[in-house]
Amino acid sequence: MTERKIALVTGGSRGIGLACALELAKAGCDIIINDICDAEKAKPALDEIKACGANAYFYSFDVSNDEAVKENVDKMIAEHGRIDILLNNAGITKDGLFLRMDMEQWERVIKINLTSAYCVTHAVIKYMMKARQGSIINMSSVVGLHGNPGQANYSASKAGLVGLTKTLAKEFGSRNIRVNAVCPGFIQTAMTAELGNIDEYLKAIPMRRLGTPEDIAKVVKFLALDTDYVTGQAIEVAGGLII
Ligand SMILES: NC(=O)c1ccc[n+]([C@@H]2O[C@H](COP(=O)([O-])OP(=O)(O)OC[C@H]3O[C@@H](n4cnc5c(N)ncnc54)[C@H](O)[C@@H]3O)[C@@H](O)[C@H]2O)c1
């Protein structure tokens, strides 16, 4: 019997992260979810993952705190032995027009969306190198590729993830570690709940609907499990929003 793969999903207690965790669990992976919330808040997510027949574990820490990340990743390896798949998914928005954007607003989004991917990947990749295999997926966004008024900080952080993805794909391809990015469009989650009138957005989407977290999860599962030869790609999953 082959050993079950273990996937670490950051920001995995809800939304897109949870949908990806569930998709990977259904495909036979065991799941470690991280989030900044406490264990009680993450319990429904863990229960849902376990209901798919997977083992599920929760680690609470801030993905942008380098020390906390190192400590927790070392603990994960000590307790579960391996991390085969890393999904850097945790992220926030703090939107505002650029002229009114203060340094705190800028730095916080860059730190939680981009520096976090440095911290977690740095801690995990050495174990993937020892295992001579791994798949890393960074949750970017269409706005990281195309920009969006009011999201200078967010789109810069998501563009940064694309650059990181392509560079790590080049540095680690020979080690059998693949690194890709997924770039969602407008997906129905807590993050987009405050968009207001969605009719305007729908007009811009050829498929005439917002995406679901499951739409993203299918592509994450493909990158994590169904291909051995795709690396360095930033895949838009946006119903044709930008063609
Ligand atoms: N919803 C969309 O339309 C959309 C579009 C493009 C990209 N994305 C990206 O997808 C990812 C998931 O978004 P979502 O819509 O599910 O949002 P969400 O707010 O529902 O989920 C984000 C999760 O990240 C966690 N998180 C935030 N800061 C953290 C930290 N410092 N450490 C650990 N966990 C932290 C939150 O607690 C939350 O559980 C984000 O990176 C987001 O930028 C979302």
Side-chain angles (χ1 to χ4, degrees), residues 10-17 34-37 61-64 88-93 108 112-113 139-142 154 158 182-192:
T10 70
S13 76
R14 68 180 199 191
I16 292 173
N34 144 270
D35 211 296
I36 196 144
C37 63
F61 59 92
D62 177 346
V63 281
S64 68
N88 285 312
N89 165 80
I92 59 163
T93 51
R108 188 146 180 75
I112 291 179
N113 294 4
M139 198 57 72
S140 178
S141 166
V142 286
Y154 183 77
K158 296 300 186 181
V182 174
C183 302
F186 293 113
I187 310 302
Q188 269 172 317
T189 67
M191 189 175 268
T192 46

Side-chain angles (χ1 to χ4, degrees), residues 56-88:
Y57 315 97
F58 175 67
Y59 291 73
S60 177
F61 59 92
D62 177 346
V63 281
S64 68
N65 177 336
D66 200 33
E67 279 308 306
V69 168
K70 276 187 202 142
E71 204 176 291
N72 278 279
V73 168
D74 287 349
K75 204 164 155 219
M76 288 170 201
I77 296 291
E79 288 172 357
H80 311 296
R82 55 199 283 173
I83 296 171
D84 303 283
I85 297 157
L86 166 62
L87 174 58
N88 285 312

